[in-house]
Amino acid sequence: MAVAKPKTMVLRRRTRAPKRYSEDKDGLVCDDVYCERCGSGDFGSKLLLCDKCDKGYHLFCLRPILVSVPKGSWFCPSCTNIKQPQLFPLVQTKIVDFFRIRRSSESMENQSNIKKRKRACSLAVSKRKRKLLAYNPTEDPQRRLEQMASLATALKASGTEYSDGLTYRPGMALRSANCAALEKGGMQILPKEDVETLNLCKKMMEKGECPPLMVVFDLVEGFTVQADRYIKDLTIITEYVGDVDYLKNRENDDGDSMMTLLHASNPSKSLVICPDKCSNIARFVNGINNFSPDGRKKQNVKCVRYDVNGECRVLLIANRDIRKGERLYYDYNGYEHEYPTEHFV
């Protein structure tokens, strides 16, 4: 803690940061807290102090941007000497173990061709009925390994284990608490055909047939996701997964990736998904800037909550055709409109 004016202290972890003062030789009080990037001392509630050098940085001036004050100690880019994340080994056995892939590469390729033929036969009907589409994996097994290695790199760098489903841990919400009937105003039910499509996507991922996506590291945006092939409108990108907990247990949590799972009429029964311990590629799909027309134009994915066999599930779905190489973005404020996106790129 650094002493400022009498009875005033600058908190190193804070959402409200009083300015720090010092006296010059003439006895005048001068403000000496400012952002090293922009030079301004404004927006004190967004000004974060390094626990090593004591210099200040606005959350939104950092690259990548910090959405909220981090837990514990925080060190600025100069003190941490941030570098590119260490790449996950492009070794099939390591990737198979990391993602717990169940089948050999040969059987995966054969099954991929079978599923591909089945999907090709049903696309026309699905389009007319506006049904959800299963993602179309990349045919090249080597390229799929590269896609999975990119996700493993991001997960390892963020200290997150891989999971492709909601997890229920002791001390958090029980699975029985995930009841779609409790949703305030009701929740849309995922039709049977779309449930089958979702299950197909899950089975493909279990066999190593991942979505055609690459996770890349951007110095401005951090980890972000881009399409590695053309993706059609209404394609299921992935499910948003992680630990399920009660919102009341997370109201003071500074995690920047929590997702609403159940918005119950009784607030004490509302649930959130917390992807900080275990997650999949959904954690790295970035949000749009809701305050910018150009930001809103970038949206190509929508986040939708569904009742799936009585339980709440959150799906990321393409809301238009997505070109190869295009980065994926969705609206973080699809429901509550409380997420601070005004400084997003």
Side-chain angles (χ1 to χ4, degrees):
M1 297 290 184
V3 177
K5 291 180 68 176
K7 298 183 181 181
T8 303
M9 303 189 77
V10 176
L11 305 180
R12 297 186 184 281
R13 272 197 69 244
R14 63 202 186 284
T15 53
R16 297 181 60 191
K19 291 185 177 181
R20 184 177 57 189
Y21 297 87
S22 61
E23 291 188 355
D24 63 14
K25 61 182 180 180
D26 294 322
L28 300 176
V29 177
C30 304
D31 178 10
D32 66 347
V33 176
Y34 59 91
C35 175
E36 295 293 321
R37 291 286 170 83
C38 70
S40 170
D42 296 336
F43 304 104
S45 63
K46 306 284 187 181
L47 199 55
L48 184 64
L49 295 184
C50 174
D51 282 284
K52 184 176 181 180
C53 68
D54 215 32
K55 293 180 179 178
Y57 293 82
H58 285 123
L59 298 177
F60 51 81
C61 287
L62 291 166
R63 293 295 182 267
I65 288 173
L66 282 182
V67 176
S68 59
V69 178
K71 288 183 177 179
S73 299
W74 176 81
F75 302 100
C76 71
S78 298
C79 292
T80 54
N81 192 25
I82 294 177
K83 298 179 180 179
Q84 289 284 340
Q86 183 176 357
L87 298 178
F88 192 86
L90 191 60
V91 179
Q92 183 173 357
T93 54
K94 291 184 179 294
I95 292 173
V96 167
D97 290 342
F98 186 87
F99 291 100
R100 300 183 291 279
I101 296 171
R102 295 184 179 180
R103 298 174 181 252
S104 67
S105 59
E106 182 177 356
S107 64
M108 286 193 314
E109 190 171 3
N110 293 335
Q111 289 291 329
S112 177
N113 292 332
I114 293 173
K115 295 298 184 184
K116 213 181 306 174
R117 288 196 294 271
K118 288 184 178 179
R119 287 196 299 275
C121 295
S122 61
L123 279 181
V125 176
S126 296
K127 186 174 181 180
R128 285 199 299 272
K129 294 183 179 180
R130 300 295 289 174
K131 300 297 183 182
L132 299 183
L133 307 176
Y135 63 77
N136 197 6
T138 301
E139 291 86 355
D140 182 6
Q142 179 64 26
R143 188 58 177 175
R144 290 204 302 269
L145 286 178
E146 294 172 5
Q147 293 164 356
M148 287 186 285
S150 73
L151 173 56
T153 295
L155 290 171
K156 292 281 285 185
S158 58
T160 308
E161 294 182 2
Y162 170 74
S163 174
D164 200 36
L166 296 176
T167 50
Y168 300 88
R169 298 181 186 270
M172 297 186 186
L174 299 175
R175 183 165 185 172
S176 58
N178 183 1
C179 179
L182 299 176
E183 175 72 14
K184 184 177 182 179
M187 182 177 291
Q188 59 181 316
I189 298 175
L190 190 66
K192 182 180 178 180
E193 292 179 55
D194 291 340
V195 172
E196 293 174 352
T197 301
L198 174 60
N199 291 336
L200 172 60
C201 293
K202 294 290 185 178
K203 291 177 182 177
M204 287 192 292
M205 189 63 203
E206 289 176 358
K207 295 182 294 184
E209 298 175 9
C210 60
L213 305 169
M214 293 288 287
V215 184
V216 297
F217 184 75
D218 185 286
L219 292 176
V220 174
E221 297 186 64
F223 287 110
T224 187
V225 179
Q226 66 184 35
D228 205 34
R229 72 179 301 173
Y230 172 78
I231 299 175
K232 285 182 63 67
D233 183 18
L234 291 180
T235 294
I236 295 177
I237 303 297
T238 188
E239 179 181 3
Y240 203 97
V241 302
D243 295 331
V244 178
D245 200 1
Y246 289 104
L247 174 62
K248 62 185 179 183
N249 295 340
R250 300 283 180 152
E251 288 181 338
N252 297 317
D253 197 312
D254 60 6
D256 63 356
S257 300
M258 282 192 300
M259 170 70 71
T260 298
L261 178 64
L262 171 62
H263 182 54
S265 300
N266 181 347
S268 67
K269 296 184 178 181
S270 293
L271 301 175
V272 291
I273 303 171
C274 309
D276 53 323
K277 302 297 183 185
C278 60
S279 189
N280 61 6
I281 201 166
R283 178 177 179 178
F284 305 106
V285 179
N286 284 336
I288 62 169
N289 184 329
N290 297 93
F291 298 83
S292 162
D294 290 336
R296 290 191 289 270
K297 290 178 183 177
K298 293 164 66 174
Q299 182 175 354
N300 49 19
V301 174
K302 60 182 177 180
C303 175
V304 189
R305 292 185 293 139
Y306 286 107
D307 175 341
V308 181
N309 299 324
E311 294 185 339
C312 307
R313 306 275 286 275
V314 181
L315 304 184
L316 298 185
I317 301 167
N319 67 351
R320 61 172 172 81
D321 293 345
I322 302 174
R323 303 183 309 274
K324 179 180 179 180
E326 187 177 350
R327 291 187 177 178
L328 274 54
Y329 295 94
Y330 69 100
D331 186 357
Y332 283 6
N333 288 313
Y335 294 103
E336 285 78 17
H337 303 283
E338 294 179 350
Y339 204 92
T341 66
E342 63 269 25
H343 299 294
F344 279 21
V345 177

